[in-house]
Amino acid sequence: MCGIVGYTGKDVAKDILVTGLKRLEYRGYDSAGVALERAAADGSVTIDVIRRVGKVAGLESELAHIDANATCGIGHTRWATHGRPSVANAHPHTSCDGKIAIVHNGIIENFAELREALTARGHVFTSDTDTEVFAHLIEEAYEGRPADPATGAPATPGTHDLMAAVREACTQVVGAYGLAAVCADEPGVIAVARKDSPIVIGRGENGSYVASDVIALIDATRDVVVLEDGQFAKLTPEGIFYTDAEGKAIEPAVTHIDWDIDMAEKGGYPDFMLKEICEQPRVVRDTLVGRMTGGELDIDELGLTMEELNLIDRVYVIACGTSYHAGLIAKNLIEAWARIPCEVEAASEFRYRNPIITPSTLVVAVSQSGETADTLAAIRDARIKGAKVFGITNVVGSPVARESDGVIYTKANKEIAVASTKSFIGQVVSLTLLALLLAQVKGKLTTGQVRMLFRELGDTAGQIQWILDTQTDAIHEAALACKDAHSALFVGRGMGAAIAHEGALKLKEISYLHAEAYAAGEMKHGPIALIDPGFPVIAVATRSPVYDKTVSNLKECEARGAKIIVVATEGDEEIKQIADHVIYIPEVRDAFSPITATVPLQLLAREVALMRGCDVDQPRNLAKSVTVE
Ligand code: F6R
């Protein structure tokens, strides 16, 4: 995940920037860079940009050989989203004349149109990133824009004021940004802007600091301003000046940070797993950014033409573990909406079978890490047999991305806890988009229906937040009821069955409590024999076409003394008659229930694991990336 640092003051900036970038390393990145002011003997200032692919240590040794005593600079660690990891794509990015340099976190949704317009006005781009448009927009606002004969737009005068130019550029950008900019004509000034991407600012003894994460400032100060959306800041060696979008002075609140470094890395959460669970509303929003343009579903990195998509008559989803469970959900959606037969298979099985594959077969490979050995082998096998392969992964440029015909990147950002949580939500949202696209191409859903479903899909971000805000006490009580069990059963029907599988995997992998998932209708064909008084049965029984059937199955468990924990729909009071504990989720269309109903099960697994004294971030015997068969 990208990181920003900036410093202006009395000390040597490069050392402070490198220390800050190292503090941000834990978030994951693929390249790093800094922009430093260089003053010539005649007093003129230029901006040096130094960028490297790979570790901050590489950048540090390059800087060690550079005579840079600048006291103002900005730095960045990049986690690729638009464009592969490379020096050209690494930040900082500069204006055409090299006088302005910027670092940016976030995604610019309208970057393609902005880039086209800027190119038409003579700007030259040197990277594939969305970020670079910001550098050119600020340049135009600063220097002035020539008249545009193509559109008839008149010339506009330059602001010759970096802060004003940044504010002006922000009015043209749609999307999310945390931004820091420097300008050779205004030495010692760092201009900062924020919308939907974190920025913190602090004043130390010897200067002013900015970063995207408090951990990069903590050595200099513990009193920080957390910039809010639409606020701007001008950092100088002497002080910091805050304004609103009109340039009117404001006085933001100062927050005192009393976390230690370990807590700061976790954003103040006690563990990465909880931090990542709480990031899920953002993952939903980011994964959907730019996917509906001009009212049309847009998955341009698909690698398949609409004609090729229309020919698809069979889909295999291949994956392992949690990613496989995302596939179970996709099967329901692809078959229901696009009416294409869809099978979900563990990649480790698929690669050794002889599945029926024709040129009209689409294989969808799902992998958070993008390097799981079995999934990769299955991709290679499917391609040899003539299938089109589409990857869904969280890691840009990973083997799964490289070896597939097309790819959707989940925007979970780096996941550190071994147990997948936020990347699962990113996978489910991405697979839902794919199912919508297939349905639209096949003419099974109208454009209007697709738009409506897309809107509802976006609403799940707020629904997850509601669960995080209101259900922790209920989840804690349910965890107390499970913690001493030897085994637990997760049940559900339809979408609920798929969610139950993910819930059981989460619980067993981090709490070491044996857990199995069953389609609830299967209980009486065997598993019900396990139930004795006090045996925990965890059910997903949200409002859906199979709600009544699930409740009947739960009654069978209740009659045998099971302790019943239910994930139910808000307002369902009836369920309390059979449930010992109820965890509510907001009312949601059944198709989208996995995105919300999985969240309480992630939290339940974590609570049980903590109660049993387990390390939730690093469960025994497990690795984050499984690169061996
Ligand atoms: C469970 C978990 C694993 C992974 C599996 C596949 O929480 O993280 O089950 O889902 O090892 O990994 P990826 O998605 O990287 O291919």
Side-chain angles (χ1 to χ4, degrees), residues 320-323 367-369 372 418-420 427 505-506 509 626:
C320 305
T322 286
S323 303
S367 173
Q368 184 284 128
S369 61
T372 299
V418 166
S420 277
Q427 290 167 348
L505 177 61
K506 277 303 81 98
E509 70 180 323
V626 185

Side-chain angles (χ1 to χ4, degrees), residues 71-72 91 115 164 169 197 205 218 261 305-306 313 320 322 337 340 355 369-370 437 513 519 551 553 555 609:
T71 54
C72 176
H91 300 211
R115 185 175 170 130
S197 186
E205 238 173 68
I218 216 158
I261 293 289
T305 63
M306 290 302 136
D313 57 9
C320 305
T322 286
W337 288 340
I340 306 174
S369 61
L437 184 74
L513 193 165
V551 170
N553 297 135
K555 284 192 173 141

Side-chain angles (χ1 to χ4, degrees), residues 276 279-280 283 412-415 420-426:
E276 288 163 2
E279 281 175 44
Q280 293 178 123
V283 174
N413 292 336
K414 184 161 174 88
E415 193 174 60
S420 277
T421 53
K422 61 175 181 170
S423 60
F424 172 76
I425 296 298

Side-chain angles (χ1 to χ4, degrees), residues 160-461:
H160 296 289
D161 171 355
L162 183 60
M163 283 311 300
V166 166
R167 285 199 302 272
E168 158 67 24
C170 288
T171 62
Q172 299 181 53
V173 165
V174 178
Y177 49 82
L179 177 91
V182 289
C183 174
D185 290 347
E186 295 186 32
V189 172
I190 303 178
V192 179
R194 176 214 149 118
K195 181 172 170 281
D196 291 332
S197 186
I199 285 284
V200 282
I201 292 171
R203 179 83 194 138
E205 238 173 68
N206 282 341
S208 308
Y209 296 76
V210 57
S212 53
D213 187 326
V214 76
I215 192 168
L217 302 188
I218 216 158
D219 295 327
T221 178
R222 287 183 171 263
D223 293 315
V224 301
V225 166
V226 180
L227 213 61
E228 284 180 20
D229 283 352
Q231 294 184 338
F232 294 78
K234 177 178 181 176
L235 276 65
T236 70
E238 294 78 33
I240 304 163
F241 308 93
Y242 296 94
T243 75
D244 63 12
E246 271 75 49
K248 220 167 76 224
I250 51 168
E251 267 191 47
V254 174
T255 308
H256 182 73
I257 305 292
D258 50 16
W259 309 333
D260 58 21
I261 293 289
D262 182 52
M263 272 181 86
E265 268 187 359
K266 293 169 184 152
Y269 292 95
D271 48 78
F272 283 110
M273 184 177 184
L274 184 59
K275 175 175 182 275
E276 288 163 2
I277 290 172
C278 291
E279 281 175 44
Q280 293 178 123
R282 180 203 53 78
V283 174
V284 173
R285 283 192 291 266
D286 283 0
T287 305
L288 294 180
V289 161
R291 292 302 180 195
M292 186 61 80
T293 46
E296 295 293 323
L297 205 56
D298 182 356
I299 312 185
D300 55 359
E301 58 282 54
L302 207 61
L304 302 178
T305 63
M306 290 302 136
E307 291 69 35
E308 283 173 317
L309 276 179
N310 196 20
L311 288 176
I312 287 164
D313 57 9
R314 181 194 295 267
V315 178
Y316 285 104
V317 182
I318 51 167
C320 305
T322 286
S323 303
Y324 169 86
H325 297 150
L328 295 178
I329 293 153
K331 172 184 170 71
N332 280 287
L333 299 179
I334 290 171
E335 294 194 340
W337 288 340
R339 308 302 297 151
I340 306 174
C342 176
E343 288 180 47
V344 190
E345 228 175 301
S348 53
E349 291 296 311
F350 184 89
R351 62 184 291 195
Y352 291 114
R353 286 198 316 116
N354 188 12
I356 299 165
I357 288 180
T358 69
S360 51
T361 302
L362 176 66
V363 170
V364 182
V366 187
S367 173
Q368 184 284 128
S369 61
E371 55 183 19
T372 299
D374 283 321
T375 310
L376 269 176
I379 291 176
R380 289 171 191 150
D381 192 48
R383 292 192 77 179
I384 288 167
K385 291 186 168 123
K388 296 269 180 288
V389 177
F390 190 67
I392 293 186
T393 178
N394 197 33
V395 181
V396 174
S398 58
V400 164
R402 287 200 308 270
E403 298 198 27
S404 300
D405 295 292
V407 65
I408 296 185
Y409 289 115
T410 52
K411 301 283 165 48
N413 292 336
K414 184 161 174 88
E415 193 174 60
I416 293 175
V418 166
S420 277
T421 53
K422 61 175 181 170
S423 60
F424 172 76
I425 296 298
Q427 290 167 348
V428 175
V429 173
S430 303
L431 286 161
T432 306
L433 289 175
L434 181 65
L436 284 174
L437 184 74
L438 288 171
Q440 187 173 310
V441 171
K442 292 271 180 189
K444 303 292 180 192
L445 288 179
T446 62
T447 312
Q449 286 170 317
V450 170
R451 282 182 204 156
M452 180 192 69
L453 290 166
F454 184 87
R455 250 195 328 274
E456 286 182 30
L457 182 57
D459 291 343
T460 59

